[in-house]
Amino acid sequence: VGSEMCIETGALAGAALGLIMAPEKGEDTRKKISDAVDDFCNKHDIKLSRKQVADLVDDIKDAAEDALD
């Protein structure tokens, strides 16, 4: 289960990176990342508050932007 979670988390981060690189408004990109995080959490029965999801989305976005620099 651990390696499966790592692979799927990596896939989620990769999807976020792809969304950040796409030429869309920041609000649209943030919404898509947030939806992907929600889907991931629901699929794996992970319970996060709205604040935790927002913080995670910010962290993913920041990490992806750092990777692009």
Side-chain angles (χ1 to χ4, degrees), residues 13-34:
L17 181 61
L19 290 172
I20 288 169
M21 294 176 65
E24 293 188 25
K25 292 190 301 187
E27 182 178 320
D28 294 338
T29 299
R30 183 172 168 71
K31 171 82 171 103
K32 287 182 178 182
I33 294 171
S34 181

Side-chain angles (χ1 to χ4, degrees), residues 13-68:
L17 181 61
L19 290 172
I20 288 169
M21 294 176 65
E24 293 188 25
K25 292 190 301 187
E27 182 178 320
D28 294 338
T29 299
R30 183 172 168 71
K31 171 82 171 103
K32 287 182 178 182
I33 294 171
S34 181
D35 289 346
V37 169
D38 283 340
D39 290 346
F40 178 82
C41 289
N42 289 335
K43 180 179 179 180
H44 297 285
D45 199 30
I46 298 171
K47 307 294 185 211
L48 296 176
S49 69
R50 275 280 168 218
K51 168 97 172 84
Q52 289 171 313
V53 170
D55 289 346
L56 181 58
V57 168
D58 287 341
D59 290 346
I60 291 170
K61 187 172 182 285
D62 290 345
E65 287 173 345
D66 288 348
L68 292 175

